[in-house]
């Protein structure tokens, strides 16, 4: 079994997909009902307008802050983290209130990590360890 795609609730799906793709060094696919960004051969993040998916209707367009973690190589980490810094985003070494925006990278056994927010307040994480 493998995960195929996930929906990312967004205030404006195209802007959110373009921002994410730029930071991650990826491309936005053909825009349809969703704004897709292919992460790998087997996985796509489909950015959706939060008021356009019935899953979120009971929330009246509001959605919970989500967290997405990406395991990357050391080189990919450096490239992506460089773009996070170049955008002037707040970033930090951990998910907790004391570390989320401490402007430090985290260390874990066997690697590094860093957290930042996307345009819609979703938490993004890069990790270089298993």
């Amino acid at each position: 079994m493998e995960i195929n795609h996930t929906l990312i609730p967004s205030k404006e799906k195209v802007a959110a997909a373009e921002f994410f793709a730029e930071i991650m060094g990826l491309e936005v696919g053909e825009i349809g009902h969703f704004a897709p960004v292919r992460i790998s051969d087997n996985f796509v993040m489909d950015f959706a307008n939060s008021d356009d998916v019935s899953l979120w209707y009971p929330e009246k367009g509001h959605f919970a802050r989500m967290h997405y973690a990406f395991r990357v190589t050391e080189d990919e980490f450096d490239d992506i983290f460089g773009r996070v810094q170049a955008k002037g985003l707040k970033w930090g070494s951990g998910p907790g209130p004391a570390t989320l925006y401490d402007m430090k990278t985290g260390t874990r056994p066997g690697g590094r990590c860093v957290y930042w927010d996307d345009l819609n307040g979703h938490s993004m994480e890069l990790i270089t360890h298993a």
Side-chain angles (χ1 to χ4, degrees):
M1 183 183 307
E2 63 187 36
I3 190 167
N4 177 268
H5 69 276
T6 190
L7 298 182
I8 314 300
S10 310
K11 294 174 187 156
E12 208 297 300
K13 68 183 179 189
V14 175
E18 288 173 346
F19 181 82
F20 174 78
E22 180 182 355
I23 293 288
M24 299 299 277
L26 301 169
E27 295 182 9
V28 177
E30 184 175 330
I31 306 296
H33 193 81
F34 304 118
V37 178
R38 181 162 296 283
I39 304 301
S40 68
D41 289 341
N42 302 318
F43 182 64
V44 175
M45 292 181 72
D46 282 324
F47 290 80
N49 288 334
S50 62
D51 63 353
D52 192 34
V53 177
S54 60
L55 294 172
W56 301 309
Y57 282 164
E59 303 301 319
K60 301 200 184 310
H62 296 283
F63 48 87
R65 175 179 167 87
M66 302 297 291
H67 174 77
Y68 303 96
F70 301 90
R71 187 176 58 167
V72 296
T73 66
E74 289 289 338
D75 288 341
E76 289 170 327
F77 184 99
D78 291 338
D79 290 344
I80 296 166
F81 183 47
R83 290 188 287 270
V84 167
Q85 292 174 302
K87 285 277 189 195
L89 301 176
K90 295 186 301 184
W91 48 273
S93 60
T99 56
L100 187 57
Y101 304 118
D102 64 5
M103 305 303 276
K104 297 177 184 175
T105 57
T107 56
R108 299 277 190 337
R112 299 182 288 166
C113 64
V114 70
Y115 297 76
W116 75 95
D117 294 342
D118 79 347
L119 289 180
N120 295 284
H122 298 303
S123 174
M124 301 293 169
E125 176 185 7
L126 295 182
I127 54 176
T128 62
H129 51 84

